[in-house]
Structures are given as structure tokens and as C-alpha cells.
Amino acid sequence: MNSTKTTLPVKEKFILPEGMIYLDGNSLGPLPKGAAARVHTMMTDEWGAHLIKGWNVDEWMAQPMRVGNLVGQLIGAPDGSVTMGDTLSIKVYQALSAALKMRPDRRVILSDSGNFPSDLYMAQGLIQQLGQGYELRIVAPEDVVDAMDDTVAVAMITQVDYRSGRLHDMAQVTQAAHAAGAVMLWDLAHTAGALPVDVSASNCEFAVGCTYKYLNGGPGAPAFIYARADVAADMQPALAGWLGHDAPFAFELDYRPAPGIERMRVGTPPVLQLAALEEAMTVWEGVDMADLRAASIRLSDLFIAGVERACPELTLVSPRDGAMRGSQVSFAFENGYAAMQALIARDVIGDFRAPNIMRFGFTPLYIDEGDVERAVEILSEVMKNRLWDQSQYQRKSAVT
Ligand SMILES: *Cc1c(COP(=O)(O)O)cnc(C)c1O
């Protein structure tokens, strides 16, 4: 983000429990060192000391746009084109409904079977609400480009597959959508903070994502939404909340949207979560995204080679070519849930996605080659000793 380049990793910027190898930053990023103090100060010196005055003197009301600009710098979005709030599912709903309004004579939402279920569920809920013959068309990820036709109102695609890590080519898919006359909506949940991305250059109309994964904003951190400037200027918000109004404190009886992306704000911003996230965004200072990407591929390749050497029972389900992958590596194994529990018990933290996927995220901000080698070693012990066969690892928790 600034001119002095940082050498990776930057482990010292995070609180990481001693001895833990954390390969789950794709699901929940670790605690950035300054975040707890920032939230504490916010609570005592702002909320505690100023109470309601904080909205003005501490500029809480400007926070969603201020933090939006920081996220914008990581995703190639100009200042003033990103705002923060709610959860990603809500932002998907907002972007999708605004996109459909832009193509009133079309009825198809195109997505793929690798998309995260919540995105598909939000589309299904919206369709139920709209009636009028709307349809969600789900194709295989490799068929997305060919499926673009003149019935498609909006292509709603998540760039990195949460299970396999397979990566969509943003430029190619966006061009195909536009060539078919469709609106392009990207979900960057597993992209933002993981790989270089430039929403402006892609020319997509909308992009959304969450900030508790690679952006380390903490559990429940607010989502982001971007709209291209020309689109933001006249999109119609489905959730017409008061803070997306042009003049919230005029308390008019009728909704009038704020001028640009701010109309995608809904209600009161999550001030404490935004304070944590704002601090978390400082870890990116000096980080070169091309360096980060190169390190991510190097670490992932090292892991794949090690696991394939030591654990023949596991089958790679991620693309072998690093350029075709996000920042995670997944292996299929029929006892994957129990094997992951055994691994977690040994302080190597990944996660499990049904039916049989063991998922490992590689975030070069705090993972290095020594961590990868150690993780391979411990995983090979789990496999060699059939630790997954032990009953204590087979009990299912609510969150996998
Ligand atoms: C993580 C993720 C979500 C989660 O949505 P929330 O509303 O933040 O719980 C949604 N979509 C995708 C693609 C994700 O990866």
C-alpha cells in the first residue's frame, strides 16, 4: 500500500499461539497485534468518554466509507466506491437485486455449482420474493463462459471456489458476461487479501466480499460492497435503510437514495467491529500483492509435494497449477473429518468441508516454509498411525 516494501512473512504483526500452525486464515484470520488495543481504546476513550457525541467527534458515521477506502486499495477500487456493513450474504442480496433491476427484460441469474451455498440461497430467496419468472441457473464452473447468453441478467460468480480453491479468470468471465449483455457480480470472499485483484480493470459492475477471512477483521467483521461509479449513480437499493438515504437526519417520510455507493448502507454501522477491521488493515502497509501471491503459490506447491510424498491416501482436489488456484489447497480423504480433528489436536489447524475435503489455507503474512514442512510431517504421522480411526476424533462439532 505504500512505497517501502515489506519482506514476508510479517508474523510479528499477529498474535499467534505458540506452537500452532494456522492454516485456516481462509476461514478466520488471526488477531492482528494492535486490534485488541484499538477496540479497547475505542470503547473507553470514544464510547465510554463521549457516548452519543462519538458519532460526530470520533467520526463513527464516516467509518464505513473510511474503512471501505482501505479495502478498496487492496481490490483496485477507487476511493469512495466501497462501503462496509452487514454480512456478505446481505451484500450479495443487495448487489444481486440492484443488478436484476438493471436488466428488467431478462430473468436469469447465472451461477456455478462451486459457489458458496449462501450466495445461491440468497438468490433463491430473492427469486421467491420477486416472483415474475426469475430463475437461478447453476452450471459447472468450467461451463460458466459458455452459459452466458441473452437470457442472463446477471452472472453471480465467486472467484475462488471455497472447497477446491479453483480460480475463475476474472477478466475472461467478465468479458463474456458483458458480451452477452449481462451484469457481472463478483464475490471476492476468498480473493480479497489473498491475491492481486483489480475490480476497476475488470470493469465488473459489482463486487462483494467478507473481511473476517484473509482481511483478519475478526469473527463477524462487516462485509464490503463495491459498485462501478456509473452503476452506483443510479442503482436501486432493495434494502432502503435510513443510512442509505440522501439525508438520514432529515427524517423524511420517503426514501431518497444517497448519491453513490453509500445507498448500499442499510442501518447503524458495527462501530466496534469496524474499529478492529480498520486496525487490521494496517498489516497491509508495505505488502506487495505480487510478492504475496508468489509466496502463496510457493508455500502451496511445497505442501502439495510434501503431502503427495508422505500421504498417498490423500487425493489432491485443488488445481495442480498454482496459477489456477486461490490461496488454499484441498485434499479428499474419506475419513477427512476425523483426520482433520487429529491434526487440530496436534496444533495444525485446517478445516473440513463436507463430504470429504480437508482444506488448508496458506497466508504468507504469517506462514513460512518451516511451518509447511512441520505441517506435512504432522499430517503424515496422523495418516501413518491411522489416528483418524480413534473415536475421539470422529465426534462432529457444529462448526467443521
Ligand atoms: C465465507 C463466504 C460467505 C459467508 O457469508 P456471511 O454472510 O459473511 O456469513 C458467503 N459467500 C462466500 C462466497 C463465502 O466464501
Side-chain angles (χ1 to χ4, degrees), residues 117-136:
S118 198
D119 296 35
L120 303 175
Y121 302 162
M122 292 313 278
Q124 288 161 9
L126 176 59
I127 286 170
Q128 281 230 324
Q129 194 66 23
L130 290 172
Q132 303 172 49
Y134 282 96
E135 172 199 337
L136 174 62

Side-chain angles (χ1 to χ4, degrees), residues 179-263:
V183 175
M184 186 72 226
L185 161 56
W186 281 107
D187 188 326
L188 303 178
H190 292 272
T191 303
L195 23 153
V197 56
D198 192 331
V199 293
S200 295
S202 84
N203 204 32
C204 67
E205 282 82 354
F206 297 97
V208 293
C210 50
T211 61
Y212 47 80
K213 293 172 180 162
Y214 294 97
L215 297 183
N216 314 306
F224 66 84
I225 182 165
Y226 157 86
R228 209 174 64 197
D230 59 310
V231 171
D234 46 51
M235 61 192 174
Q236 296 179 44
L239 304 177
W242 72 306
L243 289 184
H245 192 281
D246 188 35
F249 287 88
F251 299 106
E252 295 166 9
L253 291 184
D254 291 317
Y255 181 76
R256 275 191 300 118
I261 191 68
E262 288 209 75
R263 69 183 64 176

Side-chain angles (χ1 to χ4, degrees), residues 320-356:
R320 192 168 292 281
D321 177 359
M324 307 295 284
R325 268 194 322 258
S327 205
Q328 67 173 70
V329 171
S330 302
F331 285 93
F333 175 53
E334 62 169 325
N335 301 107
Y337 178 79
M340 184 56 78
Q341 295 313 302
L343 205 54
I344 292 170
R346 282 152 189 80
D347 247 0
V348 177
I349 316 290
D351 61 19
F352 173 79
R353 287 294 174 263
N356 63 350

